Amino acid sequence: MEAASEPTLQDSISDRLGYVLRRASGVMMGALGVALAEIGLRPVEATILILVGANTGCTQSEISRLLGIKRANMVPLMAGLVNKRLIERYPVDGRSFALSLSPEGAAQRDAADAIMLAHERRFEALFSGAEIEALRAALTRIAQLDPTAQE
Amino acid sequence: MEAASEPTLQDSISDRLGYVLRRASGVMMGALGVALAEIGLRPVEATILILVGANTGCTQSEISRLLGIKRANMVPLMAGLVNKRLIERYPVDGRSFALSLSPEGAAQRDAADAIMLAHERRFEALFSGAEIEALRAALTRIAQLDPTAQE
DNA sequence: TATTGTTATACTCTATAACTATA
DNA sequence: TATAGTTATAGAGTATAACAATA
């Protein structure tokens, strides 16, 4: 056996949980990015559309907090979606805006949602239903350890 | 119940596998970054030290391929470690270098390894042994879907 | 005094194209 | 012709500090 053309490296790292977690995340996000690029959206933009659609009237600070994105970094993100006429802003407060999806935004949200669901299904197909639920639960448990310093 | 000071957003996204995977990865890498900063290393640097230590004489291109990092991006990374006298380079080829750990590099590798092991244990403590193995296996299965375009 | 949205800025990570020298 | 290392560069993502207007 061992028809390796070059002596394969001793891989003393890919048995580590943190490493495989990082690699798995990269693979899944990369595939989602490719899939969403077909409708001109990045994963974070699709996520924002979905959240605004489910929370009409919310503010961009609320979205920021939920996604763990700093307020300052949300500014160009939201401006881009408003610029593309996918999200509309109406003042509520004098200092904050109520967000909502435009008709085009709702259509893009639906398209993004369909792509994301198909994407999830493609990865879930690797596992049994019980395995998927165990995986989701374990990842959620880890994610909830987030100190969420958030500024 | 519900002592929410502001109407909590409908979170229609954190049940998605890709999203929790990305968040869990961020939490774990963030914690590892904090832990490794105490010895002046970033996670990727610690990983390189471990791999070079386990593969004395390997080249930086081999490390790049194993980690899925582009050759061009490995250059400043390796230069930094050589600059810190943690890794030594000897020409083997006229165009490539054999990498090895300096004594200081081996000491740093040992320190990094101890930190990384303690870090893994802290997260593994959240689960049973069977859960951990299932999680590791599932993540490895996803990570191996990597198209590994690699340039 | 705290919060919202904002600007400016910087650092990391990643990606591509192109070059050189060697194999 | 393919590979190793390199340079330059550009795009994301994320971090902080500071400001004006408002609550």
Side-chain angles (χ1 to χ4, degrees), chain B:
Chain B
M1 321 302 176
E2 288 292 344
S5 58
E6 75 175 59
T8 306
L9 289 196
Q10 211 283 316
D11 182 352
S12 43
I13 203 75
S14 62
D15 60 328
R16 312 211 179 183
L17 187 58
Y19 184 74
V20 285
L21 181 48
R22 183 180 170 285
R23 289 301 291 262
S25 170
V27 167
M28 208 164 166
M29 290 303 298
L32 181 59
V34 168
L36 284 171
E38 289 176 41
I39 60 169
L41 290 179
R42 285 172 297 162
V44 67
E45 293 177 316
T47 304
I48 293 171
L49 289 184
I50 289 169
L51 288 176
V52 170
N55 295 281
T56 301
C58 69
T59 68
Q60 95 185 35
S61 282
E62 290 172 327
I63 301 288
S64 296
R65 274 190 294 271
L66 184 58
L67 293 180
I69 295 175
K70 299 251 181 291
R71 268 175 16 260
N73 295 328
M74 183 59 82
V75 173
L77 226 41
M78 192 59 73
L81 294 170
V82 169
N83 232 42
K84 286 200 260 185
R85 312 285 172 181
L86 301 178
I87 287 184
E88 293 168 345
R89 283 195 275 212
Y90 296 100
V92 278
D93 206 29
R95 72 177 173 181
S96 59
F97 301 90
L99 303 175
S100 57
L101 294 183
S102 69
E104 309 93 297
Q108 278 281 71
R109 185 268 322 266
D110 291 342
D113 219 354
I115 289 172
M116 289 174 82
L117 261 298
H119 170 256
E120 296 267 307
R121 297 256 168 67
R122 219 166 345 115
F123 281 86
E124 289 176 354
L126 295 172
F127 305 98
S128 73
E131 282 174 322
I132 278 293
E133 284 322 304
L135 178 57
R136 199 191 306 282
L139 293 174
T140 300
R141 200 127 126 242
I142 293 173
Q144 282 170 351
L145 295 183
D146 198 345
T148 311
Q150 193 70 13
E151 192 164 6

Side-chain angles (χ1 to χ4, degrees), chain A residues 3-81:
Chain A
S5 59
E6 76 175 56
T8 306
L9 290 195
Q10 211 283 316
D11 182 351
S12 42
I13 203 75
S14 63
D15 59 328
R16 311 211 180 184
L17 187 59
Y19 184 74
V20 285
L21 181 49
R22 184 181 169 284
R23 290 300 291 261
S25 170
V27 167
M28 210 166 165
M29 289 304 296
L32 181 59
V34 168
L36 284 172
E38 288 176 42
I39 59 170
L41 290 179
R42 286 173 295 161
V44 65
E45 293 176 316
T47 303
I48 292 170
L49 289 184
I50 289 169
L51 288 176
V52 170
N55 294 280
T56 301
C58 69
T59 68
Q60 96 184 32
S61 281
E62 289 171 329
I63 300 287
S64 295
R65 273 189 295 270
L66 184 57
L67 293 180
I69 295 175
K70 299 254 182 288
R71 268 175 14 259
N73 296 327
M74 183 57 83
V75 173
L77 226 41
M78 193 59 72
L81 293 170

Side-chain angles (χ1 to χ4, degrees), chain A residues 61-139:
Chain A
S61 281
E62 289 171 329
I63 300 287
S64 295
R65 273 189 295 270
L66 184 57
L67 293 180
I69 295 175
K70 299 254 182 288
R71 268 175 14 259
N73 296 327
M74 183 57 83
V75 173
L77 226 41
M78 193 59 72
L81 293 170
V82 170
N83 232 42
K84 285 200 260 185
R85 313 284 172 181
L86 301 178
I87 287 182
E88 293 168 345
R89 282 195 275 212
Y90 296 100
V92 278
D93 208 28
R95 73 178 172 182
S96 58
F97 301 90
L99 303 175
S100 57
L101 295 183
S102 69
E104 310 93 297
Q108 278 281 71
R109 186 268 321 268
D110 291 342
D113 220 353
I115 289 172
M116 290 174 81
L117 262 296
H119 170 256
E120 297 266 306
R121 297 254 167 68
R122 216 162 351 110
F123 281 86
E124 289 176 354
L126 295 172
F127 305 99
S128 73
E131 281 174 322
I132 278 292
E133 283 322 305
L135 178 57
R136 198 191 307 280
L139 293 174

